[in-house]
Structures are given as structure tokens and as C-alpha cells.
Amino acid sequence: MSNKMIASKIAAPYASALLDLAISTHTVDFITADVNELLQIFKENKDLVDYLSNPLYSKTSKSSVLYTIYTQFELDISLNTQRFLRLLIQRSRIEMFPVIAEKFLQQVYDLAEIKIAKVTSAFPLSEEQSTKISDQLRNSTGAKEIKMVTNVDKTLLGGFQVQIGSNIIDCSIKGQLKELAAKLETTLF
């Protein structure tokens, strides 16, 4: 089993617990905003993640660093989110916060019938193209809203690929060429 799968299995109960807490305290919006802000900080600061992941630093020290982060970035983190982060520190799981946060956001989006679409295109999408893709995906999935995460991959040559959950829609030239190559091999031999 890969490290990513193990991390995902460990993160799921924590994400569910955070969502349960948010629902029971009617603070889903606040905690979701907190998680989004913190996730962005974790993604942009590798040194922070390295520090929090290092078992040589005390749990008290890690809590202090997080408090410093709140004040340095002028974050208005809710008490429930702060308690959750302290719990992760106490259980030596704080380094898994990004994975837990992604799982939590996915659960919140599922609850709100919002789908996350990872769109990879050969060239940056215009606003009009993004809107058209989003509308098509909303109609085909029945979701209330589509949140698009866009990436550019020049190796696609043209077109785009969309991933929603485990479903992949490949409308790229690269994908069409692979499909054509596969058909040619089967018909020739």
C-alpha cells in the first residue's frame, strides 16, 4: 500500500470528525474558511510543514508556531479549528493536515452538492471557456456548483482533460492520438 493511500485512510476519520463538529456547532462556513486559509499557508510554506513534521520538536513548540502563524498572517481562526489543530499536534498527526483538509473540503463539497473538477488544458483557459466547461459539467453531473482547479500541461498538445472524482474525460489531442494508435494496432495485427 502506498504512503498516499495510508495517509488518506488515516485522514478520513479526522476529516469526518471535523465535519461533524462543524455541523453540530453550525460553523461549517467558518471552519471551511479556516481550513482553506490554513491549507494555502501549508502549501506555500514547506519549512512550516517540515517543522511541524519533525518529531524532535516538542508539541508545545509546534502549538506556539501555529499561534504565531495565526497572528503573523492575521488569521481569525475559530476556536473549534484551533482545538482541532491542537488535537492533531497532540496525536502527532499535524503533518497530515493538508491531506485531512483536502478530505474535509471534499466532504463539505459533497454535503453542499459541489463537485471539484480538475481541468488540465494544453493552454490557459479563457474565462468564457472555463464558464462553458463548468456549465457542461454542472449539467452532466447534476451538481449545484462546480469548483474548477485548472492546470496547464503543454504535452496534451491541444484540448483538455477533466477529472471529477475517479471519472476522467479526455478531450485532448494527446488522448485522441493514443486512442487512434490503439485502434491501429488492433486492426493491423
Side-chain angles (χ1 to χ4, degrees), residues 149-167:
V149 178
T150 58
N151 294 314
V152 174
D153 180 0
K154 300 236 184 245
T155 65
L156 294 180
L157 304 175
F160 60 92
Q161 293 176 333
V162 178
Q163 180 179 354
I164 298 178
S166 61
N167 298 326

Side-chain angles (χ1 to χ4, degrees), residues 155-160 170-179:
T155 65
L156 294 180
L157 304 175
F160 60 92
D170 191 347
C171 299
S172 68
I173 292 176
K174 181 180 180 180
Q176 292 172 1
L177 289 173
K178 281 184 178 179
E179 190 176 311

Side-chain angles (χ1 to χ4, degrees), residues 26-42:
H26 306 289
T27 56
V28 174
D29 292 341
F30 296 115
I31 291 178
T32 301
D34 293 346
V35 167
N36 275 317
E37 286 179 312
L38 289 166
L39 185 58
Q40 191 64 34
I41 290 170
F42 272 66

Side-chain angles (χ1 to χ4, degrees), residues 46 52 62 91:
K46 184 181 178 338
L52 294 174
K62 291 177 183 181
R91 297 209 174 155

Side-chain angles (χ1 to χ4, degrees), residues 14 42 48 51-54 57-67 70 81-97 100:
Y14 286 100
F42 272 66
L48 171 65
Y51 181 86
L52 294 174
S53 302
N54 191 329
Y57 296 114
S58 72
K59 292 174 180 178
T60 306
S61 168
K62 291 177 183 181
S63 292
S64 297
V65 166
L66 278 180
Y67 181 76
Y70 305 153
T81 306
Q82 289 180 33
R83 288 180 186 135
F84 181 75
L85 291 171
R86 282 195 301 271
L87 173 79
L88 293 179
I89 289 170
Q90 293 305 313
R91 297 209 174 155
S92 299
R93 298 286 190 211
I94 191 67
E95 71 278 357
M96 296 188 70
F97 176 76
I100 294 168

